[in-house]
Amino acid sequence: MLKQLSNKKQIKKLKKTIQKSLNNEVPIPVLEVQEKLNKEIVTFILDGAVLQLGQLKSSKVLLNFEDHSNFITKRLGRNPEDFRPDIVHQSLLTLLDSPLNKAGLMKVLIRTEDNRLIEINPVTKIPRTFKRFSGMIAKLLETAKIQSEDQILLQIHNDTVQEYFSNEAFIVATSHKAKLVDLQEYIQKKHNIVFVIGAVAKGNPGLECKFSNDCISISRYQLSTANCLSKIIDAFEQYYSII
């Protein structure tokens, strides 16, 4: 049953916890252990995120369309509307605040526009304000890693998505223009699912995704990134009976 958990580190940690319980070192409910062993971790990739630093006066800052439109237009020659780190911020709050994540059944990654892969530790406390969040991401982009005293919280990997995941992962892109599915039925027929959700204000990363095994629509209506994530999270919480 341990093979059903896709994250090797979590398997190792869970084994240690069980062993300590058997040695009477740490009390742990048997039901909770069995529930985790019988449920697969759901992975989310926030795709196409434009996370870029800009040198403003004496410091580097995370560029966004509201505060740095002139810099983006004149210095970078790009459309300020592409720079929407606020979508990533809102999405991470939606993901990490969820009962699915708190139950230890979620993994979160960000794939940036320039193909950097950022892994988010599920225990990370995302700043509630966008200003503090921007500071955290700016530090990450400069140092490639943010860690607490005992663990890494955010880390940039050099791997591509294909290199990061095993062949057993079933990668599902999402797009309003793709085939419409009943999400509850869909997730019951798939294993080791990795959902790719566009973290952009415009464009269609789902249909353009070159590493997915499937592309689906989960609503007949066009959804925001956070709303799409909420629907998928809710489907798994119902499927796993997480309250």
Side-chain angles (χ1 to χ4, degrees):
M1 289 190 292
L2 288 174
K3 292 183 179 179
Q4 294 180 8
L5 285 174
S6 60
N7 191 318
K8 294 181 179 179
K9 290 183 179 179
Q10 288 194 330
I11 293 173
K12 187 176 180 180
K13 183 177 180 181
L14 190 55
K15 283 181 176 179
K16 288 182 178 179
T17 304
I18 295 171
Q19 187 60 51
K20 286 182 179 180
S21 176
L22 294 174
N23 294 337
N24 295 320
E25 294 179 30
V26 178
I28 182 168
V30 176
L31 180 60
E32 181 181 338
V33 172
Q34 295 221 317
E35 283 180 350
K36 284 192 176 184
L37 292 176
N38 287 321
K39 294 172 183 175
E40 292 179 346
I41 291 174
V42 187
T43 301
F44 293 90
I45 300 178
L46 301 175
D47 195 36
V50 180
L51 301 178
Q52 186 170 335
L53 295 177
Q55 183 72 45
L56 297 180
K57 296 182 180 179
S58 59
S59 62
K60 291 184 178 181
V61 299
L62 180 67
L63 298 174
N64 72 78
F65 78 112
E66 284 190 330
D67 300 323
H68 313 116
S69 59
N70 287 335
F71 180 92
I72 294 168
T73 302
K74 296 177 181 179
R75 297 284 295 274
L76 303 181
R78 295 193 57 180
N79 186 346
E81 293 181 7
D82 293 336
F83 290 72
R84 294 293 305 274
D86 58 299
I87 295 177
V88 176
H89 181 218
Q90 185 180 22
S91 298
L92 289 177
L93 290 174
T94 299
L95 289 163
L96 300 185
D97 282 352
S98 69
L100 184 66
N101 181 57
K102 292 174 181 178
L105 294 167
M106 181 184 292
K107 187 178 185 64
V108 179
L109 299 163
I110 302 169
R111 192 179 80 94
T112 65
E113 179 194 40
D114 53 355
N115 208 31
R116 286 176 292 181
L117 199 61
I118 302 171
E119 182 175 357
I120 313 294
N121 189 322
V123 304
T124 303
K125 303 296 183 184
I126 299 299
R128 314 312 286 187
T129 66
F130 179 67
K131 182 177 180 180
R132 291 184 61 197
F133 171 76
S134 295
M136 181 182 74
I137 297 299
K139 180 180 177 182
L140 172 67
L141 295 177
E142 285 200 279
T143 63
K145 182 189 299 183
I146 293 179
Q147 60 187 68
S148 62
E149 293 181 358
D150 58 348
Q151 59 187 321
I152 297 173
L153 299 177
L154 297 91
Q155 183 174 12
I156 298 177
H157 292 277
N158 294 323
D159 299 336
T160 63
V161 171
Q162 297 93 320
E163 292 169 340
Y164 185 88
F165 291 101
S166 68
N167 293 329
E168 296 178 357
F170 188 80
I171 301 177
V172 183
T174 57
S175 170
H176 173 60
K177 296 182 179 180
K179 61 185 178 185
L180 182 64
V181 302
D182 183 307
L183 190 55
Q184 284 287 357
E185 291 182 3
Y186 188 86
I187 64 176
Q188 293 179 41
K189 298 176 182 178
K190 307 297 181 184
H191 297 283
N192 299 316
I193 301 182
V194 178
F195 281 99
V196 181
I197 316 293
V200 296
K202 60 181 183 177
N204 206 322
L207 287 180
E208 298 168 2
C209 185
K210 297 180 180 179
F211 51 82
S212 64
N213 301 108
D214 198 5
C215 185
I216 64 172
S217 172
I218 63 171
S219 174
R220 66 186 63 193
Y221 304 105
Q222 194 164 358
L223 305 175
S224 67
T225 302
N227 197 278
C228 181
L229 291 168
S230 294
K231 287 183 69 67
I232 298 172
I233 291 168
D234 182 64
F236 275 97
E237 287 174 351
Q238 290 186 49
Y239 182 45
Y240 288 154
S241 299
I242 298 172
I243 300 175

